[in-house]
Amino acid sequence: MDFLKEWTYTICITLIISVIFSILTPKGNMGRFFKIILATFIFLSFIYPFKSAQIDFTLPEFNISDAQSEQSQTYEKTVSTQVEQKLAEGGYSSCIAECDIVMKDNEIFIEELKVSVPSTYNADEIKQYLFDSMGINAEVYYLGE
């Protein structure tokens, strides 16, 4: 917070001094020269406090494999959620979907989709429902298997 106070104070003082010198500058070619000097002075006063601020401007390292892994996990959760919602729409509640995907050439391929259902439902019926409604061939298991 001290850095911000110091920076604001420096800018205010610089602007006051610049206004005074701007009023006192002559007209014509010399006036343009003085205005360039004043503009440089103002610009430097904005930058100078950063020199002593001890601010770390280094960017964190970016690892592409970590980003792809996180993106893959997000897609897996999205597909699983959509399958669970579709099953709930079809009257099959309390089903759990787990999805494994593979990303190639900016395309998503569902490698494996496992759906766990309560034993009160017919697994073949749910498998056929998912294939008819979403075009996905899922492996359907009863909860606990």
Side-chain angles (χ1 to χ4, degrees), residues 68-84:
Q68 287 176 340
S69 174
E70 289 178 22
Q71 186 178 26
S72 177
Q73 289 174 355
T74 303
Y75 289 142
E76 288 174 355
K77 289 178 185 177
T78 302
V79 170
S80 298
T81 303
Q82 288 179 352
V83 168
E84 290 172 1

Side-chain angles (χ1 to χ4, degrees), residues 120-136:
T120 56
Y121 297 129
N122 183 352
D124 293 329
E125 184 180 310
I126 291 176
K127 184 174 182 173
Q128 188 62 41
Y129 174 74
L130 284 174
F131 186 76
D132 292 341
S133 62
M134 298 182 81
I136 298 174

Side-chain angles (χ1 to χ4, degrees), residues 37-97:
I37 292 174
L38 284 174
T40 306
F41 178 65
I42 292 170
F43 179 72
L44 291 175
S45 71
F46 275 96
I47 295 175
Y48 183 73
F50 287 106
K51 180 182 175 188
S52 62
Q54 303 298 326
I55 297 175
D56 185 19
F57 288 107
T58 58
L59 297 174
E61 289 185 28
F62 181 74
N63 190 348
I64 191 73
S65 63
D66 289 343
Q68 287 176 340
S69 174
E70 289 178 22
Q71 186 178 26
S72 177
Q73 289 174 355
T74 303
Y75 289 142
E76 288 174 355
K77 289 178 185 177
T78 302
V79 170
S80 298
T81 303
Q82 288 179 352
V83 168
E84 290 172 1
Q85 288 175 350
K86 186 56 101 174
L87 287 171
E89 287 175 12
Y92 304 108
S93 59
S94 302
C95 297
I96 300 169

